[in-house]
Amino acid sequence: MRADTPDFVQSPQASYDAIAEDYAAGFPDSLAGRPLERALLAAFVDLVRAPGAPVQPPVADIGSGPGYVAARLHDLGLPVFGVDVSPRMVALARRAHPGLRFHVGSMTALDLPDETLGGIVALYSIIHVPDEHLPSVFAGFHRVLVPGAPVLLGFQSGAEDGRARLTERFGQEISLDCYWRTPETVAAQLRQAGLELHSRVLREAEGEEQRPRAFLLARKPAPAGA
């Protein structure tokens, strides 16, 4: 991390580095028992594929963790790479999925040229971004997406927005701020960034989950007549 990297990026990097091994062992593929999430990824894939396009731009799994979402997208036929703020998570993802690319990076400063991505998936990664920084994150998404490309977000939700700080997980001391938001809050931020909302889904908490899960599909507008 650069010396000028903000604290809200450094803290998740250090925290996930500390718990990476245990996290990857405990959640090698959280999609396995989540049929709704798998169905949403399939819908995302259908939106990514442009009829008649000679070349499919790659999609990015941002906040890729152990890499199972990127692997699922690859199995569904998309060119994909993962981005995660934690170098240790990236190393574990590369080990688990040696045929895929994973890079260290932050959604707050995507090191990608304009209009080069065919889609973005960010499942449970915007939850560590403070409210005041979400507009610039979504503006960055808009910048790197090709026209018509979709975004799939997943995040903890509830009746109102809120925040909690985790100081321990898997027996490790961490410092991790987690934000939960209503679908309406995030949808409004997407619209302000120039992304059009396609659909929203709210799933009730399951198992040990404490909050509902919200999912939003949005798209960068295509040119008129496209």
Side-chain angles (χ1 to χ4, degrees):
M1 286 290 174
R2 292 169 36 176
D4 59 350
T5 301
D7 288 343
F8 76 88
V9 177
Q10 293 188 43
S11 292
Q13 182 266 310
S15 296
Y16 279 107
D17 271 357
I19 65 173
E21 295 279 358
D22 291 323
Y23 185 99
F27 304 99
D29 185 357
S30 293
L31 295 172
R34 302 291 186 214
L36 177 61
E37 282 86 333
R38 296 199 305 273
L40 288 168
L41 282 176
F44 170 83
V45 170
D46 284 346
L47 290 175
V48 166
R49 290 184 173 132
V55 178
Q56 172 63 61
V59 304
D61 174 18
I62 299 182
S64 50
Y68 54 82
V69 173
R72 174 76 61 167
L73 293 171
H74 173 75
D75 290 344
L76 292 171
L78 292 185
V80 59
F81 63 92
V83 178
D84 200 278
V85 74
S86 162
R88 189 63 191 139
M89 281 289 193
V90 167
L92 292 173
R94 288 171 176 167
R95 187 174 71 190
H97 309 285
L100 299 179
R101 293 185 295 130
F102 295 93
H103 308 282
V104 177
S106 170
M107 68 173 67
T108 62
L110 291 175
D111 187 17
L112 295 167
D114 295 355
E115 298 190 354
T116 53
L117 291 184
I120 290 173
V121 172
L123 297 185
Y124 309 113
S125 48
I126 67 167
I127 64 171
H128 302 307
V129 179
D131 294 340
E132 62 270 24
H133 292 278
L134 265 189
S136 63
V137 166
F138 291 159
F141 288 3
H142 184 280
R143 178 183 67 81
V144 299
L145 289 169
V146 300
V151 177
L152 173 60
L153 304 178
F155 50 95
Q156 285 87 346
S157 190
E160 57 186 18
D161 300 348
R163 183 184 75 170
R165 171 162 290 185
L166 296 180
T167 57
E168 183 276 334
R169 199 169 186 198
F170 300 108
Q172 299 284 341
E173 182 177 341
I174 62 173
S175 178
L176 199 57
D177 284 333
C178 300
Y179 299 83
W180 59 90
R181 299 176 173 105
T182 67
E184 292 73 23
T185 293
V186 179
Q189 296 276 24
L190 288 169
R191 292 191 187 97
Q192 289 176 12
L195 297 163
E196 297 176 341
L197 190 64
H198 177 278
S199 53
R200 69 184 78 191
V201 176
L202 187 65
R203 173 174 69 72
E204 296 301 321
E206 297 178 352
E208 297 181 356
E209 296 173 348
Q210 297 181 354
R211 297 190 175 279
R213 268 36 178 178
F215 304 92
L216 298 182
L217 265 171
R219 300 182 81 163
K220 181 174 180 175

